[in-house]
Amino acid sequence: MTRITLNGSSVLHNGGFPYSATVSAGPLLFTAGISPLDEEGVVVAANDVVGQTRRCLENLSALLAERGATPADLAKLTIYVAEHLQADLAVAWDAVVAELGESVPPAMMVGVTVLPYDEQVVEIDAVAALPA
């Protein structure tokens, strides 16, 4: 059972997403940036916001599974998108919602200039509540 409770707000605009998450006592996992790399360290879906968002989430899910957690245990996401159009942030967000569904935690979308790997346009970091 997850230790996460996703919270809306009675005073903020209802944007269809949680504004906060409450985490019951127990261990937390803080990730480094999760990149859209395959097992060989090659960027997947070069310059493709949707493909890279999906791959980052797949890699994040694999990391969570190693620790006995699932995407339902996510308390916070930050999604970095290195594109020049605001619409690319929306495209990345739509991919997050499509992959995580009702498990989308509070999240921040950030447009950045550059990411570590050539042809990389998405990176995700997360906080998760590990099962107690």
Side-chain angles (χ1 to χ4, degrees):
M1 182 171 168
T2 184
R3 297 178 20 242
I4 304 289
T5 302
L6 301 179
N7 309 304
S9 173
S10 62
V11 296
L12 300 176
H13 165 70
N14 180 358
F17 50 83
Y19 278 100
S20 66
T22 306
V23 180
S24 61
L28 296 175
L29 174 73
F30 296 84
T31 73
I34 305 297
S35 297
L37 303 178
D38 66 14
E39 296 76 14
E40 304 298 319
V42 175
V43 171
V44 171
N47 299 309
D48 175 2
V49 172
V50 172
Q52 289 192 11
T53 301
R54 288 180 180 147
R55 182 58 187 215
C56 287
L57 291 170
E58 289 171 11
N59 289 347
L60 176 57
S61 291
L63 180 66
L64 291 170
E66 283 184 331
R67 303 292 177 257
T70 72
D73 297 307
L74 290 168
K76 175 91 169 78
L77 287 177
T78 304
I79 301 102
Y80 302 93
V81 181
E83 288 287 349
H84 302 291
L85 301 175
Q86 186 178 23
D88 289 315
L89 297 176
V91 168
W93 178 251
D94 290 344
V96 168
V97 171
E99 293 295 315
L100 297 181
E102 293 185 16
S103 295
V104 175
M108 180 67 192
M109 304 293 300
V110 181
V112 297
T113 304
V114 66
L115 289 167
Y117 298 96
D118 290 338
E119 301 178 329
Q120 180 186 5
V121 292
V122 177
E123 186 162 305
I124 296 176
D125 69 10
V127 177
L130 297 179

PDB file of all heavy atoms in Angstrom, residues 23-39:
ATOM      1  N   VAL A  23       3.119  12.465   2.708  1.00  0.00           N
ATOM      2  CA  VAL A  23       3.817  11.184   2.799  1.00  0.00           C
ATOM      3  C   VAL A  23       3.862  10.772   4.259  1.00  0.00           C
ATOM      4  O   VAL A  23       4.341  11.522   5.107  1.00  0.00           O
ATOM      5  CB  VAL A  23       5.260  11.313   2.240  1.00  0.00           C
ATOM      6  CG1 VAL A  23       5.983   9.988   2.342  1.00  0.00           C
ATOM      7  CG2 VAL A  23       5.242  11.832   0.817  1.00  0.00           C
ATOM      8  N   SER A  24       3.351   9.567   4.554  1.00  0.00           N
ATOM      9  CA  SER A  24       3.432   9.071   5.923  1.00  0.00           C
ATOM     10  C   SER A  24       4.894   8.720   6.239  1.00  0.00           C
ATOM     11  O   SER A  24       5.716   8.562   5.337  1.00  0.00           O
ATOM     12  CB  SER A  24       2.511   7.864   6.115  1.00  0.00           C
ATOM     13  OG  SER A  24       2.886   6.821   5.257  1.00  0.00           O
ATOM     14  N   ALA A  25       5.195   8.593   7.508  1.00  0.00           N
ATOM     15  CA  ALA A  25       6.570   8.361   7.959  1.00  0.00           C
ATOM     16  C   ALA A  25       7.164   7.105   7.322  1.00  0.00           C
ATOM     17  O   ALA A  25       6.487   6.100   7.138  1.00  0.00           O
ATOM     18  CB  ALA A  25       6.611   8.236   9.476  1.00  0.00           C
ATOM     19  N   GLY A  26       8.426   7.211   6.968  1.00  0.00           N
ATOM     20  CA  GLY A  26       9.139   6.083   6.382  1.00  0.00           C
ATOM     21  C   GLY A  26      10.227   6.560   5.436  1.00  0.00           C
ATOM     22  O   GLY A  26      10.415   7.759   5.242  1.00  0.00           O
ATOM     23  N   PRO A  27      10.925   5.629   4.800  1.00  0.00           N
ATOM     24  CA  PRO A  27      12.054   5.992   3.944  1.00  0.00           C
ATOM     25  C   PRO A  27      11.610   6.673   2.648  1.00  0.00           C
ATOM     26  O   PRO A  27      10.564   6.350   2.082  1.00  0.00           O
ATOM     27  CB  PRO A  27      12.725   4.653   3.650  1.00  0.00           C
ATOM     28  CG  PRO A  27      11.659   3.627   3.853  1.00  0.00           C
ATOM     29  CD  PRO A  27      10.741   4.178   4.890  1.00  0.00           C
ATOM     30  N   LEU A  28      12.429   7.611   2.204  1.00  0.00           N
ATOM     31  CA  LEU A  28      12.213   8.321   0.943  1.00  0.00           C
ATOM     32  C   LEU A  28      13.352   8.011  -0.019  1.00  0.00           C
ATOM     33  O   LEU A  28      14.487   7.780   0.398  1.00  0.00           O
ATOM     34  CB  LEU A  28      12.150   9.833   1.166  1.00  0.00           C
ATOM     35  CG  LEU A  28      11.014  10.364   2.020  1.00  0.00           C
ATOM     36  CD1 LEU A  28      11.173  11.869   2.230  1.00  0.00           C
ATOM     37  CD2 LEU A  28       9.669  10.047   1.385  1.00  0.00           C
ATOM     38  N   LEU A  29      13.043   8.058  -1.300  1.00  0.00           N
ATOM     39  CA  LEU A  29      14.035   7.878  -2.358  1.00  0.00           C
ATOM     40  C   LEU A  29      14.115   9.168  -3.155  1.00  0.00           C
ATOM     41  O   LEU A  29      13.083   9.665  -3.624  1.00  0.00           O
ATOM     42  CB  LEU A  29      13.625   6.724  -3.278  1.00  0.00           C
ATOM     43  CG  LEU A  29      14.492   6.519  -4.521  1.00  0.00           C
ATOM     44  CD1 LEU A  29      15.843   5.928  -4.121  1.00  0.00           C
ATOM     45  CD2 LEU A  29      13.785   5.615  -5.512  1.00  0.00           C
ATOM     46  N   PHE A  30      15.301   9.722  -3.289  1.00  0.00           N
ATOM     47  CA  PHE A  30      15.538  10.911  -4.104  1.00  0.00           C
ATOM     48  C   PHE A  30      16.397  10.478  -5.284  1.00  0.00           C
ATOM     49  O   PHE A  30      17.481   9.934  -5.084  1.00  0.00           O
ATOM     50  CB  PHE A  30      16.281  11.986  -3.297  1.00  0.00           C
ATOM     51  CG  PHE A  30      15.498  12.508  -2.128  1.00  0.00           C
ATOM     52  CD1 PHE A  30      15.510  11.841  -0.911  1.00  0.00           C
ATOM     53  CD2 PHE A  30      14.740  13.661  -2.250  1.00  0.00           C
ATOM     54  CE1 PHE A  30      14.781  12.315   0.169  1.00  0.00           C
ATOM     55  CE2 PHE A  30      14.001  14.144  -1.172  1.00  0.00           C
ATOM     56  CZ  PHE A  30      14.029  13.469   0.038  1.00  0.00           C
ATOM     57  N   THR A  31      15.913  10.702  -6.491  1.00  0.00           N
ATOM     58  CA  THR A  31      16.690  10.269  -7.649  1.00  0.00           C
ATOM     59  C   THR A  31      17.566  11.395  -8.167  1.00  0.00           C
ATOM     60  O   THR A  31      17.277  12.573  -7.965  1.00  0.00           O
ATOM     61  CB  THR A  31      15.787   9.810  -8.815  1.00  0.00           C
ATOM     62  OG1 THR A  31      15.163  10.950  -9.414  1.00  0.00           O
ATOM     63  CG2 THR A  31      14.761   8.807  -8.361  1.00  0.00           C
ATOM     64  N   ALA A  32      18.604  11.006  -8.881  1.00  0.00           N
ATOM     65  CA  ALA A  32      19.336  11.948  -9.726  1.00  0.00           C
ATOM     66  C   ALA A  32      18.511  12.079 -10.995  1.00  0.00           C
ATOM     67  O   ALA A  32      17.467  11.450 -11.134  1.00  0.00           O
ATOM     68  CB  ALA A  32      20.726  11.382 -10.036  1.00  0.00           C
ATOM     69  N   GLY A  33      18.962  12.877 -11.923  1.00  0.00           N
ATOM     70  CA  GLY A  33      18.235  13.005 -13.176  1.00  0.00           C
ATOM     71  C   GLY A  33      18.164  11.674 -13.900  1.00  0.00           C
ATOM     72  O   GLY A  33      19.179  11.007 -14.087  1.00  0.00           O
ATOM     73  N   ILE A  34      16.954  11.285 -14.278  1.00  0.00           N
ATOM     74  CA  ILE A  34      16.749  10.057 -15.030  1.00  0.00           C
ATOM     75  C   ILE A  34      16.719  10.438 -16.504  1.00  0.00           C
ATOM     76  O   ILE A  34      15.845  11.188 -16.945  1.00  0.00           O
ATOM     77  CB  ILE A  34      15.436   9.363 -14.622  1.00  0.00           C
ATOM     78  CG1 ILE A  34      15.385   9.102 -13.115  1.00  0.00           C
ATOM     79  CG2 ILE A  34      15.225   8.097 -15.434  1.00  0.00           C
ATOM     80  CD1 ILE A  34      16.438   8.158 -12.593  1.00  0.00           C
ATOM     81  N   SER A  35      17.687   9.942 -17.263  1.00  0.00           N
ATOM     82  CA  SER A  35      17.827  10.282 -18.675  1.00  0.00           C
ATOM     83  C   SER A  35      17.197   9.212 -19.554  1.00  0.00           C
ATOM     84  O   SER A  35      17.014   8.075 -19.117  1.00  0.00           O
ATOM     85  CB  SER A  35      19.312  10.421 -19.034  1.00  0.00           C
ATOM     86  OG  SER A  35      19.899  11.476 -18.301  1.00  0.00           O
ATOM     87  N   PRO A  36      16.922   9.535 -20.822  1.00  0.00           N
ATOM     88  CA  PRO A  36      16.315   8.564 -21.739  1.00  0.00           C
ATOM     89  C   PRO A  36      17.361   7.681 -22.406  1.00  0.00           C
ATOM     90  O   PRO A  36      17.509   7.662 -23.629  1.00  0.00           O
ATOM     91  CB  PRO A  36      15.615   9.471 -22.757  1.00  0.00           C
ATOM     92  CG  PRO A  36      16.500  10.670 -22.832  1.00  0.00           C
ATOM     93  CD  PRO A  36      16.999  10.870 -21.426  1.00  0.00           C
ATOM     94  N   LEU A  37      18.097   6.942 -21.585  1.00  0.00           N
ATOM     95  CA  LEU A  37      19.181   6.106 -22.103  1.00  0.00           C
ATOM     96  C   LEU A  37      18.758   4.639 -22.143  1.00  0.00           C
ATOM     97  O   LEU A  37      18.007   4.180 -21.288  1.00  0.00           O
ATOM     98  CB  LEU A  37      20.423   6.236 -21.216  1.00  0.00           C
ATOM     99  CG  LEU A  37      20.988   7.640 -21.024  1.00  0.00           C
ATOM    100  CD1 LEU A  37      22.179   7.595 -20.076  1.00  0.00           C
ATOM    101  CD2 LEU A  37      21.354   8.267 -22.339  1.00  0.00           C
ATOM    102  N   ASP A  38      19.308   3.896 -23.112  1.00  0.00           N
ATOM    103  CA  ASP A  38      19.093   2.460 -23.133  1.00  0.00           C
ATOM    104  C   ASP A  38      20.167   1.790 -22.288  1.00  0.00           C
ATOM    105  O   ASP A  38      20.982   2.470 -21.640  1.00  0.00           O
ATOM    106  CB  ASP A  38      19.049   1.920 -24.572  1.00  0.00           C
ATOM    107  CG  ASP A  38      20.371   2.030 -25.315  1.00  0.00           C
ATOM    108  OD1 ASP A  38      21.436   2.287 -24.684  1.00  0.00           O
ATOM    109  OD2 ASP A  38      20.364   1.848 -26.545  1.00  0.00           O
ATOM    110  N   GLU A  39      20.179   0.458 -22.295  1.00  0.00           N
ATOM    111  CA  GLU A  39      21.113  -0.302 -21.474  1.00  0.00           C
ATOM    112  C   GLU A  39      22.572  -0.078 -21.857  1.00  0.00           C
ATOM    113  O   GLU A  39      23.480  -0.342 -21.076  1.00  0.00           O
ATOM    114  CB  GLU A  39      20.785  -1.802 -21.551  1.00  0.00           C
ATOM    115  CG  GLU A  39      19.426  -2.166 -20.984  1.00  0.00           C
ATOM    116  CD  GLU A  39      18.250  -1.811 -21.903  1.00  0.00           C
ATOM    117  OE1 GLU A  39      18.462  -1.511 -23.107  1.00  0.00           O
ATOM    118  OE2 GLU A  39      17.116  -1.805 -21.406  1.00  0.00           O
TER     119      GLU A  39
END
